[in-house]
Amino acid sequence: MLVTTLFIGSILVANAQNRTISGTVLDASLGDPVPGATVLVKGTTRGVATDLDGKFTLDIQSSDQVLVVSFVGYLTAEVEIGNQSTFTINLEEDIQSLEEAVVIGYGSQDKKEITSAVVGVKPEDFNKGNVSNPSQLLQGKVAGLSITKAGGDPNGGFNVRLRGLSTFGANSSPLVVLDGVIGASLDAVDPNDIASIDVLKDGSAAAIYGARGSSGVILITTKSGSKDGSTNVSFNTFASLSNATNMIEVLSPEEFVSRGGTDFGSETDWRDELLQQGYSYNANASISGGVGFTKYMASVNYRNNQGLIKGLGNERLNTRLNFSHGAFDNKLRLSVNLSFTNLDQDNVNQGAFRYATIYNPTAPIYESTEDAAKYGGYFQRSLTDFFNPVALINQQKFVSEEKNALAAFRLEYDILPSLTLSAQYSQDRKNILQGAFWSKQDFSSGYGAGGSAQRTTHDNARRIFESTLRYETDLSRRLNMALLGGIGFQYQTNQGFNARSKQYLFDIGWDNLGAGSIRVGNFTDMSSYANEDQLNSAFGRANFNYDNILFFSASVRAETYSGFGANNQTGVFPAFSLGSDFTQIFDMGVFNQFKPRVSYGVTGNLPPSPTLALGYYGNGNRIDLDGNPLTTNDLYVGIIQNSNPNRDLKWETKKEFNVGVDFGLLNNKITGSVDYYTRNISDLLFNVPVTAGAPNPFDPGRFNTVANTWVNLADLRAAGFEFAAGVTDIKLGSVSWNPNVNFTLYQKTEIVSLSAGDLGFDELRFATPGSPGQNNNPIIYNRVGQTLGDFYAPILEGISENGEYILSTDNPDEWQKVGNGLPKGEFGFANSFAWDKWTFNFFLRGVWGHDLYNSYRGFYENQDASSNSWNSVITDKTEYITSTPTYNSSYIENASFIKLDNMELGYNFDVKSKNVSSFRLYLAGQNLFQITGYTGIDPEARVTDMENGNAFTTALSPGLERRNTYFQVRTFTLGASITFK
């Protein structure tokens, strides 16, 4: 009996000590439930997760005193238990944590979990000033990301390379993913609408995009509204003025005549006649807001950019609507992103830049002669390479109208709190309509043709559907797992049309091509094209986080592309990465993060055309079957085969290994990363000569019917070292300074192979200097075992007493290596200062180790008799060289430079209006100075040859500054921004 009494008593005491509590976890700002939040008893492993309604029930003991409540994106809350049985716990958003989320392929990760080379850039770090293209925002900001444009042409594009060359002829620019839309054009987004840009640099990060990720990936996220119920209206505007700078010095009219130049009796500054004050105007208006689970943002952006050359400029209108809505307690989420861009461009003959520099300074613009009347009154002479530049820009006209429409629809549904199904459909359309006109009086090409006009269209449509399934769970108290699986389908169509006619009665332009009486022969054209391709994908990824100490990620993507050979249409692209934060294991003193990581990834590259594997056909010559010009019913256009089929044509493949360290010191006051990578690129596509009539090894049982075949030919090897670091809030009295620096050291691309079996080359030579007189010998030799883009030349050993070149040889096979067109390194140094309401920013950028061929010296440095038609550039050799311009080693110059890319001074007004939340004015300058030993137009590295239109060979001839390069531009901008609430 006594034992029984004691046993029952002990049960009653225990029940009195243990009890059950319950509660609800809410979003502090919205009051919405937070499902999946973790509720733990502090100091124990006992806890539960909230349900879909944010509710929980938990058994506690008498010794339990505090609850710890946490969820991703919120500050952790601690709540005293006391005698309460019911709790309402409000979680505040962790703004800093949200800002440290990094967008990766098909999702995002906390920065601490990233194990690949991924860099996020926020708006406060973007480049300032007159920025018209999103790529300008990143120039010099990301180690390993090279963004270049020689000269200041407002219609010129940027060359974007990530970690150097990744292909010959496939897409060498990084893949752009805009709000989840793969392959979107940068023209589809205005810089004002961008919320963040994340760059996937290494193979493991980019491999989730498979065949499209070999050149790296740039992820752009546009702005969205807030969910706090407020509405914000913003207006930003600026105006810019531009002037030509760093102009090449040429002889004055007096100096030109005194050295023997032909004297036509006038004095004309041809560059002054072409140049004007460049100006730009930009206006951006946006409205954003939201309430509950609904957010929206709408914007309109207008840009008008008029260049330094009369008749050259562009006008752009971009509109955007982003809308998202959640239903069923936000279990179902719908988002719609729509954008439309209209771009109108006016261009001039680029030869005008050359002739404005070297045209005879004693020639008049106009003259009153019988011959001049035929040319519209302009002075013209029948001399080699001799065209009046003012006539060129007035008697020729080139326009382009480009329309880009992008629509994306995304649906997400939480099947379970940890299981989400998503589907996205996007359609990206680009339509380009171009016009070209040459006057009847145009001396360079229109006069002999009786005037001509041309109209060209290009239409591209890309449709993508993707669906993913995401699952995240805690395998144990310390081990978290996130899984992703998905499928994708991409269908693309391209088509276009071109027509040109000549011999017009009047100059009426391209709107009535039927008025041209001649539609065949020189200065005429008629063509059209159409093709389509499909890419099907399946992919998966697994991420593991062990107690914020060890992080592991693995992914694989399989893709099938219709444009490859029937035997090799499917490729598999795996990747893995591993990292560990040592500060969670060891006491590392001043380090609060020290995360070594290693990664490996395989990516592919799509060809620029889906027809390379086919034995495709084209149009041949016109054939008159009976030879009688009086009959036309037997006149046909023949058919020719362009290349032999290759059933084995396959993906270009890049295998990249990366080791790096992410670090943070002094409570993240100093943060940064270090990376070293090696990459091996194999099976690059190239068109090789074969023997017609011989067996085709790529199509067994058949024979070569033409003398060329597309094959997987070349192998390349490269490596590099990257460093980036930033310091937050250095106090200089009352001034706050935030410096950031990055640099990259490149091991230049080595050519491992240029052959496949018995086919291929020992070397590939490209890039002749040009006309007049230097068309025969290429100057860039790409040799197996050597670096890509090497300059070869005869060595200039001296100059004779008579002013003639003394060269080491006149045999191109005996030329020596004298330089290379690709850089050895790049750096960027950004500085941001804040004092009271003032801000000041400046950014220095440098590139070193690259050489450029100075074409102006190559053609116009000499004073020989045949050069007396043109003006001369002034160098230390101009006065006494009498040889005919001849390519030699002296024209290859070291083009290393440092530039003050941009600088901005701003003031934030103290706004006291209840309707205005901020008002800011700023003054900015771009390209304010440069330090370089290069004597040409612009020392920027040239990664392609602007005069080589072949997409498969232009990357093999870097480092040439052509004579048609646009002048450098210095720009000053005054702007204002205001936000209403």
Side-chain angles (χ1 to χ4, degrees), residues 24-37 50-55 69-75 77 88-95 98 226-229 291-293 295 329-330:
T24 305
V25 179
L26 302 174
D27 181 302
S29 60
L30 296 177
D32 298 322
V34 181
T50 58
D51 62 17
L52 292 178
D53 297 319
K55 296 183 177 182
V69 185
S70 61
F71 190 67
V72 175
Y74 291 88
L75 295 170
T88 299
I89 302 169
N90 293 294
L91 294 184
E92 300 281 350
E93 274 191 344
D94 184 354
I95 301 301
L98 292 174
S226 62
K227 58 183 180 180
D228 60 3
V291 60
F293 298 126
K295 296 190 293 183
D329 291 329
N330 210 35

Side-chain angles (χ1 to χ4, degrees), residues 684-705:
L684 276 77
L685 300 172
F686 209 80
N687 197 335
V688 300
V690 297
T691 303
N696 183 349
F698 307 106
D699 195 10
R702 299 180 181 272
F703 296 86
N704 295 325
T705 52

Side-chain angles (χ1 to χ4, degrees), residues 161-490:
R161 292 277 182 84
L162 187 56
R163 292 184 165 180
L165 185 72
S166 60
T167 180
F168 288 165
N171 191 355
S172 59
S173 296
L175 173 72
V176 174
V177 180
L178 175 60
D179 288 330
V181 178
I182 299 174
S185 168
L186 287 176
D187 293 328
V189 60
D190 189 272
N192 284 309
D193 291 339
I194 295 177
S196 67
I197 301 178
D198 297 273
V199 183
L200 312 185
K201 297 200 296 182
D202 68 354
S204 69
I208 194 67
Y209 291 105
R212 291 163 289 188
S214 193
S215 298
V217 182
I218 296 177
L219 304 171
I220 299 177
T221 303
T222 56
K223 296 175 181 177
S224 62
S226 62
K227 58 183 180 180
D228 60 3
S230 65
T231 298
N232 292 306
V233 178
S234 298
F235 180 73
N236 302 283
T237 184
F238 66 74
S240 300
L241 295 177
S242 302
N243 293 288
T245 185
N246 301 316
M247 303 285 281
I248 294 177
E249 192 175 359
V250 295
L251 298 175
S252 68
E254 295 79 9
E255 293 170 328
F256 175 75
V257 172
S258 66
R259 65 92 156 164
T262 305
D263 187 359
F264 290 109
S266 295
E267 293 188 2
T268 305
D269 188 327
W270 291 102
R271 290 189 290 207
D272 272 357
E273 296 298 329
L274 260 67
L275 292 173
Q276 64 179 5
Q277 177 83 68
Y279 70 90
S280 302
Y281 172 72
N282 167 267
N284 159 260
S286 67
I287 181 170
S288 63
V291 60
F293 298 126
T294 301
K295 296 190 293 183
Y296 64 88
M297 191 281 289
S299 69
V300 177
N301 301 278
Y302 172 78
R303 296 177 182 271
N304 190 315
N305 195 342
Q306 300 304 312
L308 295 174
I309 301 296
K310 298 171 184 177
L312 189 152
N314 62 66
E315 191 174 21
R316 181 193 302 263
L317 178 67
N318 172 273
T319 58
R320 170 169 292 277
L321 173 64
N322 292 347
F323 174 82
S324 64
H325 177 70
F328 307 117
D329 291 329
N330 210 35
K331 287 179 60 177
L332 177 66
R333 296 175 294 279
L334 170 69
S335 63
V336 179
N337 291 39
L338 305 174
S339 71
F340 178 80
T341 303
N342 190 86
L343 173 63
D344 295 328
Q345 294 182 332
D346 294 309
N347 284 292
V348 300
N349 187 323
Q350 289 187 320
F353 306 123
R354 179 203 321 184
Y355 300 120
T357 301
I358 57 90
Y359 202 70
N360 189 316
T362 69
I365 301 172
Y366 307 97
E367 63 177 348
S368 300
T369 65
E370 185 176 341
D371 280 344
K374 297 185 296 185
Y375 312 131
Y378 288 103
F379 174 92
Q380 301 283 10
R381 290 294 184 272
S382 296
L383 300 170
T384 301
D385 198 33
F386 197 76
F387 301 105
N388 185 322
V390 178
L392 277 182
I393 67 170
N394 290 324
Q395 293 182 327
Q396 298 180 7
K397 187 173 179 62
F398 309 94
V399 300
S400 174
E401 303 171 22
E402 181 177 318
K403 294 178 173 61
N404 184 276
L406 176 62
F409 306 90
R410 182 175 180 83
L411 194 67
E412 290 186 336
Y413 181 72
D414 294 334
I415 302 171
L416 298 170
S418 57
L419 183 65
T420 301
L421 176 67
S422 70
Q424 177 168 301
Y425 174 80
S426 65
Q427 188 170 113
D428 189 0
R429 288 183 172 272
K430 178 180 287 188
N431 309 103
I432 301 174
L433 176 63
Q434 298 171 320
F437 164 70
W438 297 263
S439 168
K440 290 169 58 66
Q441 298 173 323
D442 173 42
F443 178 70
S444 69
S445 57
Y447 181 74
S452 65
Q454 184 176 29
R455 208 64 158 145
T456 306
T457 67
H458 303 280
D459 297 322
N460 171 273
R462 181 189 296 114
R463 291 173 288 169
I464 301 176
F465 173 80
E466 290 189 313
S467 181
T468 63
L469 188 65
R470 298 195 310 270
Y471 177 70
E472 183 172 354
T473 187
D474 290 324
L475 298 177
S476 69
R477 186 174 63 86
R478 293 187 173 186
L479 181 60
N480 174 267
M481 177 183 71
L483 302 178
L484 171 78
I487 56 173
F489 306 94
Q490 174 180 295

